[in-house]
Amino acid sequence: MSKINNKLKLAFICALLVSLTCLSASAISPIEISSEKSASLTLSLQQAQDLALQNNKLIKKSEEMVTGSKNKKSSLFTNYLPKFDLSANYLLRSESTKMTLEGGYLPTYNFNPESGQLDPNLYINPLTNQPVYGEDGNPIFNQYALFPDKDLEVLPKSGFTSALSLKQAIYTGGKVTSAYKMASLGYEASQLNLKLIKENLLFETEKDYWRLVSLNQKKQLTEKYLQLVNNILLKVENSYEVGMVNKNQVLQARVKYNEVALLDKEAENGLNLASMALAQKTGLPLNSLIIPQDTLSNLLSVIDFHDFSQEDYLHRYDYQMLKIQEEVAKQNIKLKRSDFLPQIGLLASYNYLSYQLNDQNHDDFSANAMAQLSFPIFQWGESIYKVNEAKAKYKEAGFNLENTSQLMILQINQSLTNVDNKIAKLTLAQSALKQADEYLLLETDNYQVGMTELTNLLNAQTKWQKAYSDFIDAQLDLHLAYKELEVRCGKYLP
Protein backbone atom coordinates (compact mmCIF):
# COMPACT_ATOMS: atom_id res chain seq x y z
CA MET A 1 0.00 0.00 0.00
CA SER A 2 2.90 2.31 0.83
CA LYS A 3 4.47 1.65 -2.58
CA ILE A 4 1.18 2.46 -4.30
CA ASN A 5 0.93 5.76 -2.38
CA ASN A 6 4.51 6.61 -3.31
CA LYS A 7 3.80 5.92 -6.98
CA LEU A 8 0.65 8.01 -6.86
CA LYS A 9 2.52 10.89 -5.23
CA LEU A 10 5.34 10.63 -7.74
CA ALA A 11 2.81 10.67 -10.60
CA PHE A 12 1.10 13.70 -9.06
CA ILE A 13 4.38 15.65 -8.81
CA CYS A 14 5.39 14.71 -12.36
CA ALA A 15 2.01 15.82 -13.66
CA LEU A 16 2.42 19.06 -11.74
CA LEU A 17 5.83 19.71 -13.29
CA VAL A 18 4.59 18.93 -16.78
CA SER A 19 1.60 21.25 -16.37
CA LEU A 20 3.87 24.08 -15.20
CA THR A 21 6.26 23.54 -18.11
CA CYS A 22 3.42 23.76 -20.61
CA LEU A 23 1.68 26.81 -19.15
CA SER A 24 -0.39 28.43 -21.87
CA ALA A 25 -3.84 29.80 -22.51
CA SER A 26 -6.21 28.13 -24.94
CA ALA A 27 -5.61 29.21 -28.56
CA ILE A 28 -8.36 31.60 -29.66
CA SER A 29 -7.86 33.60 -32.86
CA PRO A 30 -10.38 36.43 -32.42
CA ILE A 31 -10.43 38.73 -29.40
CA GLU A 32 -12.98 37.48 -26.85
CA ILE A 33 -14.57 39.90 -24.40
CA SER A 34 -16.49 38.56 -21.44
CA SER A 35 -19.46 40.20 -19.76
CA GLU A 36 -17.69 40.49 -16.40
CA LYS A 37 -17.07 43.80 -14.67
CA SER A 38 -13.44 43.74 -15.84
CA ALA A 39 -13.40 42.68 -19.48
CA SER A 40 -11.37 39.53 -20.08
CA LEU A 41 -9.54 39.36 -23.38
CA THR A 42 -7.42 36.63 -24.88
CA LEU A 43 -4.70 38.23 -26.98
CA SER A 44 -1.88 36.89 -29.08
CA LEU A 45 1.29 38.92 -29.47
CA GLN A 46 0.30 39.80 -33.03
CA GLN A 47 -3.12 41.01 -31.91
CA ALA A 48 -1.61 43.13 -29.13
CA GLN A 49 0.84 44.76 -31.55
CA ASP A 50 -1.90 45.39 -34.10
CA LEU A 51 -4.00 47.13 -31.46
CA ALA A 52 -1.01 49.22 -30.40
CA LEU A 53 -0.45 50.37 -33.98
CA GLN A 54 -4.13 51.22 -34.41
CA ASN A 55 -4.54 53.24 -31.23
CA ASN A 56 -1.20 55.00 -30.77
CA LYS A 57 -1.52 58.77 -31.18
CA LEU A 58 2.19 59.29 -31.85
CA ILE A 59 1.96 57.07 -34.93
CA LYS A 60 -1.04 59.02 -36.21
CA LYS A 61 0.94 62.24 -35.71
CA SER A 62 3.91 60.78 -37.61
CA GLU A 63 1.64 59.67 -40.45
CA GLU A 64 0.41 63.25 -40.80
CA MET A 65 4.04 64.40 -40.86
CA VAL A 66 4.70 62.01 -43.75
CA THR A 67 1.69 63.40 -45.60
CA GLY A 68 2.89 66.96 -45.00
CA SER A 69 6.43 66.15 -46.20
CA LYS A 70 5.04 64.53 -49.34
CA ASN A 71 2.94 67.59 -50.13
CA LYS A 72 5.91 69.89 -49.54
CA LYS A 73 7.99 67.83 -51.96
CA SER A 74 5.23 68.05 -54.59
CA SER A 75 4.83 71.80 -54.10
CA LEU A 76 8.56 72.46 -54.57
CA PHE A 77 8.57 70.38 -57.75
CA THR A 78 6.17 72.91 -59.28
CA ASN A 79 9.01 75.48 -59.23
CA TYR A 80 10.39 73.67 -62.29
CA LEU A 81 7.15 74.42 -64.18
CA PRO A 82 5.86 77.72 -65.62
CA LYS A 83 3.38 79.71 -63.55
CA PHE A 84 0.22 81.12 -65.12
CA ASP A 85 -1.58 84.06 -63.55
CA LEU A 86 -4.79 85.80 -64.50
CA SER A 87 -5.36 89.27 -63.07
CA ALA A 88 -8.16 91.81 -63.45
CA ASN A 89 -8.44 95.37 -62.11
CA TYR A 90 -11.11 98.02 -62.19
CA LEU A 91 -10.18 101.64 -61.44
CA LEU A 92 -12.72 104.25 -60.40
CA ARG A 93 -11.53 107.77 -59.58
CA SER A 94 -13.56 110.63 -58.14
CA GLU A 95 -12.53 112.87 -61.01
CA SER A 96 -10.68 112.44 -64.24
CA THR A 97 -7.43 114.36 -64.77
CA LYS A 98 -7.75 117.21 -67.28
CA MET A 99 -5.48 119.86 -68.79
CA THR A 100 -5.80 122.74 -71.21
CA LEU A 101 -3.61 122.91 -74.26
CA GLU A 102 -2.96 126.61 -74.94
CA GLY A 103 -3.77 127.82 -78.46
CA GLY A 104 -1.96 130.35 -80.68
CA TYR A 105 -1.00 131.15 -84.26
CA LEU A 106 0.54 128.42 -86.34
CA PRO A 107 2.70 129.01 -89.43
CA THR A 108 1.48 127.79 -92.80
CA TYR A 109 3.18 125.71 -95.49
CA ASN A 110 2.76 125.42 -99.26
CA PHE A 111 3.02 122.24 -101.25
CA ASN A 112 5.91 122.12 -103.71
CA PRO A 113 4.87 119.92 -106.63
CA GLU A 114 8.46 119.66 -107.87
CA SER A 115 9.89 118.28 -104.63
CA GLY A 116 6.70 116.78 -103.28
CA GLN A 117 7.45 118.44 -99.94
CA LEU A 118 5.83 121.15 -97.86
CA ASP A 119 7.75 124.43 -98.04
CA PRO A 120 7.43 127.08 -95.33
CA ASN A 121 5.20 129.94 -96.47
CA LEU A 122 7.83 132.55 -95.52
CA TYR A 123 7.59 136.26 -96.02
CA ILE A 124 10.31 137.31 -98.57
CA ASN A 125 11.79 140.79 -98.56
CA PRO A 126 11.28 142.01 -102.17
CA LEU A 127 14.46 144.08 -101.99
CA THR A 128 16.77 141.42 -100.71
CA ASN A 129 14.75 138.42 -101.84
CA GLN A 130 15.51 136.90 -98.39
CA PRO A 131 13.19 135.78 -95.57
CA VAL A 132 12.37 138.40 -92.99
CA TYR A 133 13.07 137.53 -89.29
CA GLY A 134 11.34 138.97 -86.28
CA GLU A 135 12.92 140.31 -83.11
CA ASP A 136 12.84 136.86 -81.55
CA GLY A 137 15.02 135.50 -84.37
CA ASN A 138 12.25 133.36 -85.88
CA PRO A 139 11.25 133.77 -89.54
CA ILE A 140 8.05 135.61 -90.36
CA PHE A 141 5.42 133.76 -92.42
CA ASN A 142 3.04 135.22 -94.99
CA GLN A 143 0.05 133.64 -93.30
CA TYR A 144 -0.80 132.21 -89.88
CA ALA A 145 -3.55 129.79 -88.80
CA LEU A 146 -5.35 130.45 -85.53
CA PHE A 147 -5.26 127.46 -83.08
CA PRO A 148 -7.72 128.04 -80.19
CA ASP A 149 -7.22 126.71 -76.60
CA LYS A 150 -8.10 122.98 -76.24
CA ASP A 151 -9.36 121.23 -73.07
CA LEU A 152 -8.04 117.63 -72.86
CA GLU A 153 -8.73 114.63 -70.54
CA VAL A 154 -5.34 112.99 -69.95
CA LEU A 155 -6.35 110.35 -67.34
CA PRO A 156 -9.75 108.56 -67.43
CA LYS A 157 -12.18 108.57 -64.54
CA SER A 158 -12.62 104.78 -64.77
CA GLY A 159 -11.01 101.89 -66.56
CA PHE A 160 -10.73 98.09 -66.62
CA THR A 161 -7.55 96.07 -67.14
CA SER A 162 -6.87 92.34 -67.30
CA ALA A 163 -3.79 90.29 -68.06
CA LEU A 164 -2.81 86.66 -68.56
CA SER A 165 0.85 86.21 -67.63
CA LEU A 166 3.37 83.38 -67.74
CA LYS A 167 6.46 83.23 -65.54
CA GLN A 168 9.27 80.75 -66.05
CA ALA A 169 12.51 80.52 -64.10
CA ILE A 170 15.38 79.79 -66.47
CA TYR A 171 18.31 79.75 -64.07
CA THR A 172 18.23 80.24 -60.30
CA GLY A 173 21.75 79.30 -59.32
CA GLY A 174 20.60 75.82 -58.27
CA LYS A 175 18.05 77.13 -55.73
CA VAL A 176 15.10 75.19 -57.17
CA THR A 177 17.05 71.94 -57.49
CA SER A 178 18.55 72.16 -54.00
CA ALA A 179 15.22 73.00 -52.38
CA TYR A 180 13.52 70.10 -54.16
CA LYS A 181 16.26 67.65 -53.14
CA MET A 182 16.00 68.81 -49.52
CA ALA A 183 12.23 68.32 -49.61
CA SER A 184 12.69 64.83 -51.09
CA LEU A 185 15.15 63.97 -48.34
CA GLY A 186 12.72 65.36 -45.77
CA TYR A 187 9.96 63.13 -47.12
CA GLU A 188 12.27 60.10 -46.96
CA ALA A 189 13.28 61.01 -43.40
CA SER A 190 9.64 61.31 -42.32
CA GLN A 191 8.97 57.81 -43.66
CA LEU A 192 11.97 56.44 -41.76
CA ASN A 193 10.83 58.25 -38.63
CA LEU A 194 7.41 56.61 -38.91
CA LYS A 195 9.05 53.19 -39.28
CA LEU A 196 11.27 53.90 -36.29
CA ILE A 197 8.32 54.92 -34.12
CA LYS A 198 6.41 51.80 -35.15
CA GLU A 199 9.43 49.61 -34.42
CA ASN A 200 9.88 51.14 -30.95
CA LEU A 201 6.18 50.79 -30.20
CA LEU A 202 6.10 47.15 -31.34
CA PHE A 203 9.21 46.37 -29.30
CA GLU A 204 7.84 48.03 -26.15
CA THR A 205 4.51 46.25 -26.65
CA GLU A 206 6.30 42.94 -27.06
CA LYS A 207 8.28 43.50 -23.85
CA ASP A 208 5.07 44.23 -21.93
CA TYR A 209 3.40 41.20 -23.50
CA TRP A 210 6.16 38.76 -22.56
CA ARG A 211 6.35 40.21 -19.04
CA LEU A 212 2.65 39.50 -18.76
CA VAL A 213 3.25 35.95 -20.06
CA SER A 214 6.00 35.35 -17.50
CA LEU A 215 3.92 36.80 -14.63
CA ASN A 216 0.97 34.71 -15.74
CA GLN A 217 3.19 31.61 -15.57
CA LYS A 218 4.46 32.67 -12.15
CA LYS A 219 0.88 33.14 -10.95
CA GLN A 220 0.00 29.62 -12.04
CA LEU A 221 3.22 28.42 -10.42
CA THR A 222 2.36 30.01 -7.07
CA GLU A 223 -1.16 28.59 -7.26
CA LYS A 224 0.24 25.10 -7.76
CA TYR A 225 2.80 25.75 -5.04
CA LEU A 226 0.05 26.95 -2.68
CA GLN A 227 -2.01 23.87 -3.48
CA LEU A 228 0.98 21.64 -2.79
CA VAL A 229 1.70 23.31 0.57
CA ASN A 230 -2.00 23.23 1.46
CA ASN A 231 -2.10 19.49 0.87
CA ILE A 232 0.85 19.04 3.19
CA LEU A 233 -0.76 21.30 5.80
CA LEU A 234 -3.96 19.24 5.72
CA LYS A 235 -2.00 16.03 6.01
CA VAL A 236 0.05 17.37 8.93
CA GLU A 237 -3.06 18.60 10.71
CA ASN A 238 -4.71 15.22 10.25
CA SER A 239 -1.60 13.53 11.55
CA TYR A 240 -1.59 15.88 14.54
CA GLU A 241 -5.19 14.98 15.31
CA VAL A 242 -4.24 11.31 15.65
CA GLY A 243 -1.05 12.14 17.56
CA MET A 244 1.42 11.15 14.86
CA VAL A 245 3.19 14.56 14.75
CA ASN A 246 3.73 17.32 17.26
CA LYS A 247 2.37 20.86 17.32
CA ASN A 248 5.65 22.28 16.05
CA GLN A 249 5.25 20.61 12.65
CA VAL A 250 1.72 22.00 12.32
CA LEU A 251 3.02 25.49 13.03
CA GLN A 252 5.80 25.04 10.48
CA ALA A 253 3.31 23.99 7.82
CA ARG A 254 0.99 26.91 8.64
CA VAL A 255 3.84 29.44 8.51
CA LYS A 256 4.92 28.08 5.15
CA TYR A 257 1.33 28.19 3.90
CA ASN A 258 1.04 31.86 4.92
CA GLU A 259 4.31 32.67 3.18
CA VAL A 260 3.15 31.03 -0.04
CA ALA A 261 -0.27 32.67 0.21
CA LEU A 262 1.45 36.07 0.43
CA LEU A 263 3.64 35.11 -2.51
CA ASP A 264 0.54 34.18 -4.47
CA LYS A 265 -1.09 37.52 -3.64
CA GLU A 266 2.01 39.40 -4.75
CA ALA A 267 2.02 37.43 -8.00
CA GLU A 268 -1.65 38.32 -8.55
CA ASN A 269 -0.99 42.04 -7.99
CA GLY A 270 2.02 41.97 -10.30
CA LEU A 271 -0.06 40.22 -12.94
CA ASN A 272 -2.80 42.87 -12.69
CA LEU A 273 -0.28 45.70 -13.04
CA ALA A 274 1.32 44.01 -16.06
CA SER A 275 -2.11 43.59 -17.63
CA MET A 276 -2.83 47.29 -17.09
CA ALA A 277 0.52 48.25 -18.66
CA LEU A 278 -0.24 46.20 -21.76
CA ALA A 279 -3.81 47.57 -21.90
CA GLN A 280 -2.42 51.10 -21.89
CA LYS A 281 -0.05 50.25 -24.75
CA THR A 282 -2.84 48.73 -26.84
CA GLY A 283 -5.42 51.43 -26.16
CA LEU A 284 -7.74 49.11 -24.23
CA PRO A 285 -9.51 50.03 -20.96
CA LEU A 286 -7.08 49.82 -18.06
CA ASN A 287 -9.38 47.46 -16.12
CA SER A 288 -9.21 44.91 -18.95
CA LEU A 289 -7.95 41.51 -17.83
CA ILE A 290 -5.66 40.42 -20.67
CA ILE A 291 -4.94 36.71 -20.97
CA PRO A 292 -1.84 36.05 -23.13
CA GLN A 293 -2.30 33.39 -25.76
CA ASP A 294 1.38 32.81 -26.57
CA THR A 295 4.07 31.18 -24.45
CA LEU A 296 7.79 31.80 -24.19
CA SER A 297 9.65 29.50 -26.52
CA ASN A 298 13.11 28.04 -26.17
CA LEU A 299 15.42 30.30 -28.18
CA LEU A 300 18.57 28.30 -27.59
CA SER A 301 17.96 26.20 -30.70
CA VAL A 302 17.48 29.21 -33.03
CA ILE A 303 20.12 31.71 -31.86
CA ASP A 304 23.04 31.98 -34.24
CA PHE A 305 25.55 34.75 -33.55
CA HIS A 306 26.75 34.54 -37.15
CA ASP A 307 23.47 36.23 -38.15
CA PHE A 308 24.71 39.47 -36.58
CA SER A 309 27.74 41.66 -37.13
CA GLN A 310 29.03 45.10 -36.14
CA GLU A 311 28.08 46.47 -39.56
CA ASP A 312 24.38 45.72 -39.02
CA TYR A 313 23.84 49.23 -37.63
CA LEU A 314 23.73 50.37 -41.26
CA HIS A 315 20.23 48.83 -41.45
CA ARG A 316 18.86 50.84 -38.53
CA TYR A 317 16.26 53.50 -39.24
CA ASP A 318 17.85 56.03 -36.90
CA TYR A 319 21.23 55.65 -38.65
CA GLN A 320 19.64 56.15 -42.05
CA MET A 321 17.92 59.28 -40.73
CA LEU A 322 21.30 60.65 -39.63
CA LYS A 323 22.67 59.97 -43.12
CA ILE A 324 19.78 61.95 -44.57
CA GLN A 325 20.44 64.82 -42.15
CA GLU A 326 24.03 64.95 -43.39
CA GLU A 327 22.87 65.06 -47.01
CA VAL A 328 20.33 67.79 -46.19
CA ALA A 329 23.13 69.85 -44.65
CA LYS A 330 25.15 69.36 -47.84
CA GLN A 331 22.28 70.53 -50.03
CA ASN A 332 21.79 73.53 -47.74
CA ILE A 333 25.26 74.75 -48.73
CA LYS A 334 24.15 74.84 -52.37
CA LEU A 335 20.91 76.54 -51.38
CA LYS A 336 22.71 79.32 -49.51
CA ARG A 337 25.18 79.78 -52.37
CA SER A 338 22.37 80.09 -54.90
CA ASP A 339 21.17 83.32 -53.24
CA PHE A 340 24.29 85.04 -54.57
CA LEU A 341 24.39 83.61 -58.08
CA PRO A 342 22.77 85.07 -61.25
CA GLN A 343 19.01 84.69 -61.60
CA ILE A 344 17.44 84.51 -65.05
CA GLY A 345 13.70 84.50 -65.63
CA LEU A 346 11.17 84.97 -68.40
CA LEU A 347 7.86 86.84 -68.22
CA ALA A 348 5.24 86.88 -70.99
CA SER A 349 1.79 88.44 -70.78
CA TYR A 350 -1.25 89.30 -72.83
CA ASN A 351 -3.08 92.43 -71.66
CA TYR A 352 -6.46 94.05 -72.24
CA LEU A 353 -7.23 97.69 -71.34
CA SER A 354 -10.66 99.31 -71.56
CA TYR A 355 -11.28 103.00 -70.73
CA GLN A 356 -13.05 106.15 -71.85
CA LEU A 357 -10.97 109.23 -72.71
CA ASN A 358 -12.08 112.53 -74.27
CA ASP A 359 -15.60 111.13 -74.63
CA GLN A 360 -14.35 108.18 -76.66
CA ASN A 361 -14.25 104.44 -75.72
CA HIS A 362 -10.92 102.69 -76.11
CA ASP A 363 -10.14 98.94 -76.10
CA ASP A 364 -6.45 98.08 -76.27
CA PHE A 365 -4.91 94.62 -76.61
CA SER A 366 -1.18 93.99 -76.28
CA ALA A 367 1.29 91.12 -75.90
CA ASN A 368 4.52 91.57 -73.95
CA ALA A 369 7.60 89.47 -73.30
CA MET A 370 10.44 90.25 -70.93
CA ALA A 371 13.61 88.48 -69.88
CA GLN A 372 15.18 89.45 -66.58
CA LEU A 373 18.72 88.96 -65.34
CA SER A 374 19.77 89.84 -61.82
CA PHE A 375 23.27 89.48 -60.51
CA PRO A 376 24.28 90.44 -56.95
CA ILE A 377 27.49 92.43 -56.90
CA PHE A 378 28.34 93.39 -53.34
CA GLN A 379 26.66 92.55 -50.03
CA TRP A 380 29.50 93.18 -47.56
CA GLY A 381 30.48 89.50 -47.41
CA GLU A 382 26.98 88.25 -46.57
CA SER A 383 27.26 85.37 -49.04
CA ILE A 384 30.54 84.15 -47.56
CA TYR A 385 29.18 84.20 -44.01
CA LYS A 386 26.01 82.31 -44.91
CA VAL A 387 27.82 79.67 -46.97
CA ASN A 388 30.44 79.18 -44.23
CA GLU A 389 27.63 78.77 -41.69
CA ALA A 390 26.05 76.06 -43.86
CA LYS A 391 29.44 74.34 -44.26
CA ALA A 392 29.90 74.32 -40.48
CA LYS A 393 26.50 72.65 -40.02
CA TYR A 394 27.46 70.07 -42.65
CA LYS A 395 30.66 69.22 -40.76
CA GLU A 396 28.67 69.09 -37.52
CA ALA A 397 26.26 66.57 -39.08
CA GLY A 398 29.21 64.49 -40.27
CA PHE A 399 30.80 64.39 -36.81
CA ASN A 400 27.45 63.50 -35.26
CA LEU A 401 27.01 60.65 -37.73
CA GLU A 402 30.50 59.32 -37.04
CA ASN A 403 30.07 59.51 -33.27
CA THR A 404 26.63 57.88 -33.37
CA SER A 405 27.94 55.08 -35.60
CA GLN A 406 30.55 54.23 -33.00
CA LEU A 407 27.92 54.23 -30.25
CA MET A 408 25.72 51.93 -32.34
CA ILE A 409 28.62 49.50 -32.81
CA LEU A 410 29.16 49.58 -29.05
CA GLN A 411 25.45 48.87 -28.49
CA ILE A 412 25.59 45.85 -30.81
CA ASN A 413 28.60 44.45 -28.94
CA GLN A 414 26.85 45.04 -25.62
CA SER A 415 23.73 43.26 -26.89
CA LEU A 416 25.76 40.31 -28.20
CA THR A 417 27.46 40.00 -24.81
CA ASN A 418 24.13 40.34 -23.03
CA VAL A 419 22.55 37.56 -25.09
CA ASP A 420 25.54 35.34 -24.42
CA ASN A 421 25.17 35.99 -20.66
CA LYS A 422 21.44 35.29 -20.79
CA ILE A 423 22.10 31.98 -22.57
CA ALA A 424 24.45 30.98 -19.78
CA LYS A 425 21.89 32.10 -17.20
CA LEU A 426 19.14 30.03 -18.85
CA THR A 427 21.39 26.99 -19.09
CA LEU A 428 22.18 27.24 -15.37
CA ALA A 429 18.51 27.80 -14.56
CA GLN A 430 17.54 24.66 -16.47
CA SER A 431 20.16 22.67 -14.60
CA ALA A 432 19.06 24.13 -11.26
CA LEU A 433 15.42 23.30 -12.02
CA LYS A 434 16.30 19.74 -12.91
CA GLN A 435 18.21 19.34 -9.63
CA ALA A 436 15.35 20.96 -7.70
CA ASP A 437 12.92 18.47 -9.30
CA GLU A 438 15.07 15.55 -8.22
CA TYR A 439 15.55 16.99 -4.74
CA LEU A 440 11.81 17.51 -4.30
CA LEU A 441 11.01 13.96 -5.42
CA LEU A 442 13.65 12.58 -3.09
CA GLU A 443 12.47 14.55 -0.05
CA THR A 444 8.84 13.70 -0.81
CA ASP A 445 9.61 9.98 -0.87
CA ASN A 446 11.73 10.24 2.27
CA TYR A 447 8.99 12.13 4.11
CA GLN A 448 6.44 9.49 3.16
CA VAL A 449 8.52 6.76 4.76
CA GLY A 450 9.57 8.92 7.71
CA MET A 451 13.21 9.27 6.69
CA THR A 452 13.25 13.08 6.66
CA GLU A 453 11.70 15.89 8.62
CA LEU A 454 8.92 18.22 7.50
CA THR A 455 11.38 21.12 7.46
CA ASN A 456 13.45 19.42 4.78
CA LEU A 457 10.38 18.76 2.64
CA LEU A 458 9.19 22.36 2.92
CA ASN A 459 12.70 23.54 2.13
CA ALA A 460 12.78 21.31 -0.96
CA GLN A 461 9.45 22.75 -2.11
CA THR A 462 10.78 26.30 -1.64
CA LYS A 463 13.92 25.53 -3.62
CA TRP A 464 11.83 23.94 -6.35
CA GLN A 465 9.49 26.97 -6.55
CA LYS A 466 12.42 29.40 -6.66
CA ALA A 467 14.24 27.34 -9.30
CA TYR A 468 11.13 27.28 -11.45
CA SER A 469 10.60 31.03 -10.99
CA ASP A 470 14.24 31.68 -11.93
CA PHE A 471 13.79 29.49 -15.00
CA ILE A 472 10.82 31.60 -16.11
CA ASP A 473 12.84 34.79 -15.54
CA ALA A 474 15.78 33.37 -17.50
CA GLN A 475 13.51 32.55 -20.44
CA LEU A 476 12.06 36.08 -20.37
CA ASP A 477 15.46 37.75 -20.06
CA LEU A 478 16.91 35.78 -22.97
CA HIS A 479 13.90 36.47 -25.18
CA LEU A 480 13.98 40.22 -24.51
CA ALA A 481 17.77 40.38 -24.87
CA TYR A 482 17.54 38.64 -28.24
CA LYS A 483 14.80 40.99 -29.45
CA GLU A 484 16.84 43.98 -28.29
CA LEU A 485 19.79 42.63 -30.30
CA GLU A 486 17.54 42.46 -33.38
CA VAL A 487 16.47 46.07 -32.82
CA ARG A 488 20.02 47.33 -32.46
CA CYS A 489 21.04 45.47 -35.61
CA GLY A 490 18.09 46.72 -37.63
CA LYS A 491 16.71 43.21 -37.96
CA TYR A 492 13.76 43.35 -35.59
CA LEU A 493 11.01 40.95 -36.63
CA PRO A 494 7.80 41.34 -34.55
Side-chain angles (χ1 to χ4, degrees):
M1 187 69 178
S2 176
K3 291 183 179 180
I4 296 176
N5 289 336
N6 289 339
K7 291 181 179 179
L8 289 175
K9 188 161 188 65
L10 179 61
F12 171 75
I13 294 177
C14 291
L16 175 62
L17 295 175
V18 171
S19 64
L20 288 172
T21 305
C22 303
L23 293 175
S24 63
S26 59
I28 302 177
S29 297
I31 301 176
E32 296 183 352
I33 303 178
S34 69
S35 57
E36 299 175 0
K37 183 177 180 181
S38 296
S40 176
L41 301 90
T42 300
L43 289 180
S44 66
L45 174 61
Q46 183 64 51
Q47 288 174 328
Q49 290 178 324
D50 290 342
L51 286 173
L53 291 176
Q54 293 172 13
N55 299 319
N56 188 267
K57 298 298 186 294
L58 187 57
I59 288 181
K60 296 182 184 299
K61 174 184 175 182
S62 299
E63 289 174 344
E64 293 302 321
M65 291 175 63
V66 171
T67 302
S69 299
K70 182 179 181 181
N71 289 328
K72 182 178 181 180
K73 173 186 174 183
S74 300
S75 68
L76 289 176
F77 178 77
T78 62
N79 290 331
Y80 288 106
L81 307 175
K83 302 291 192 300
F84 293 90
D85 296 315
L86 177 64
S87 62
N89 301 284
Y90 181 77
L91 174 65
L92 179 62
R93 307 168 69 230
S94 60
E95 294 290 341
S96 61
T97 301
K98 298 179 180 180
M99 66 173 294
T100 299
L101 183 62
E102 295 183 358
Y105 293 94
L106 301 178
T108 59
Y109 289 78
N110 295 323
F111 177 73
N112 188 341
E114 295 180 358
S115 64
Q117 301 292 329
L118 292 175
D119 294 335
N121 186 14
L122 299 176
Y123 174 73
I124 304 299
N125 188 337
L127 296 178
T128 61
N129 201 27
Q130 294 295 327
V132 178
Y133 291 87
E135 294 180 356
D136 56 1
N138 293 320
I140 299 174
F141 285 76
N142 281 324
Q143 292 180 340
Y144 288 88
L146 177 62
F147 178 73
D149 293 345
K150 179 64 176 177
D151 294 330
L152 297 177
E153 186 180 15
V154 294
L155 288 177
K157 183 177 181 181
S158 63
F160 173 79
T161 63
S162 63
L164 177 64
S165 61
L166 177 147
K167 297 178 182 179
Q168 175 64 60
I170 305 300
Y171 178 73
T172 61
K175 181 188 293 292
V176 173
T177 300
S178 298
Y180 178 70
K181 287 183 178 180
M182 291 176 68
S184 300
L185 291 170
Y187 175 53
E188 185 178 350
S190 66
Q191 291 177 306
L192 290 172
N193 182 62
L194 177 59
K195 292 179 180 179
L196 179 62
I197 291 175
K198 287 183 177 180
E199 181 184 71
N200 290 336
L201 176 63
L202 292 175
F203 180 53
E204 292 299 322
T205 303
E206 182 167 1
K207 288 197 296 186
D208 287 347
Y209 184 87
W210 291 124
R211 288 193 183 101
L212 180 62
V213 169
S214 67
L215 290 172
N216 187 57
Q217 289 181 330
K218 286 188 176 182
K219 180 63 173 67
Q220 296 181 48
L221 172 63
T222 57
E223 289 176 352
K224 296 294 183 181
Y225 185 27
L226 183 63
Q227 180 182 356
L228 189 61
V229 173
N230 183 60
N231 292 337
I232 293 178
L233 175 60
L234 293 176
K235 184 177 293 186
V236 170
E237 289 178 340
N238 292 334
S239 299
Y240 176 74
E241 292 294 333
V242 297
M244 296 180 62
V245 298
N246 55 32
K247 184 68 173 180
N248 183 48
Q249 292 186 358
V250 176
L251 294 176
Q252 288 181 359
R254 286 179 179 175
V255 169
K256 177 58 66 175
Y257 178 83
N258 292 334
E259 291 177 356
V260 178
L262 178 60
L263 190 66
D264 182 64
K265 184 62 178 178
E266 291 175 348
E268 180 182 357
N269 292 334
L271 183 63
N272 291 334
L273 290 176
S275 179
M276 292 177 65
L278 183 59
Q280 191 276 332
K281 278 286 192 316
T282 56
L284 297 172
L286 291 182
N287 64 343
S288 300
L289 177 60
I290 299 178
I291 302 174
Q293 178 179 323
D294 301 316
T295 58
L296 285 167
S297 58
N298 186 1
L299 288 176
L300 291 178
S301 59
V302 299
I303 292 179
D304 186 357
F305 287 105
H306 293 93
D307 294 337
F308 305 96
S309 70
Q310 293 184 352
E311 302 301 321
D312 285 338
Y313 73 91
L314 299 174
H315 305 296
R316 290 173 55 162
Y317 298 131
D318 46 358
Y319 173 80
Q320 295 174 27
M321 290 173 63
L322 289 176
K323 286 286 292 181
I324 289 178
Q325 289 180 6
E326 183 185 36
E327 183 62 26
V328 168
K330 182 178 180 180
Q331 291 297 326
N332 190 46
I333 298 175
K334 298 179 181 179
L335 183 65
K336 295 298 183 183
R337 186 180 289 120
S338 67
D339 291 335
F340 307 98
L341 294 176
Q343 311 285 320
I344 301 176
L346 176 66
L347 173 64
S349 63
Y350 187 77
N351 307 288
Y352 167 68
L353 174 61
S354 175
Y355 59 95
Q356 187 179 46
L357 191 63
N358 295 323
D359 298 328
Q360 292 184 353
N361 293 324
H362 298 270
D363 292 304
D364 296 335
F365 296 89
S366 62
N368 304 290
M370 179 179 66
Q372 182 181 18
L373 168 66
S374 63
F375 189 85
I377 297 177
F378 184 69
Q379 293 85 22
W380 303 98
E382 180 185 5
S383 60
I384 297 176
Y385 298 140
K386 287 189 174 182
V387 171
N388 286 342
E389 179 188 5
K391 287 182 178 179
K393 290 187 178 296
Y394 173 60
K395 291 181 180 179
E396 178 184 345
F399 291 140
N400 184 42
L401 177 64
E402 182 179 354
N403 181 64
T404 305
S405 300
Q406 294 175 353
L407 291 177
M408 289 179 177
I409 293 175
L410 178 60
Q411 286 180 344
I412 291 176
N413 287 325
Q414 289 174 339
S415 293
L416 287 169
T417 302
N418 191 35
V419 170
D420 190 47
N421 291 336
K422 299 306 180 184
I423 291 176
K425 179 181 176 181
L426 179 59
T427 302
L428 292 176
Q430 287 176 324
S431 176
L433 178 59
K434 182 179 179 181
Q435 294 173 3
D437 288 342
E438 295 175 355
Y439 181 48
L440 178 59
L441 289 173
L442 178 62
E443 289 297 327
T444 301
D445 290 340
N446 290 338
Y447 183 75
Q448 291 291 334
V449 296
M451 295 179 60
T452 188
E453 297 180 355
L454 176 62
T455 303
N456 294 334
L457 176 59
L458 295 176
N459 184 52
Q461 291 175 344
T462 301
K463 291 180 181 288
W464 170 80
Q465 187 273 337
K466 185 178 184 304
Y468 214 109
S469 179
D470 291 342
F471 174 70
I472 295 174
D473 289 338
Q475 279 188 307
L476 174 65
D477 291 344
L478 176 58
H479 194 91
L480 296 184
Y482 182 75
K483 288 299 178 180
E484 184 178 57
L485 175 62
E486 288 184 336
V487 170
R488 290 182 170 181
C489 292
K491 296 181 178 181
Y492 177 65
L493 299 175

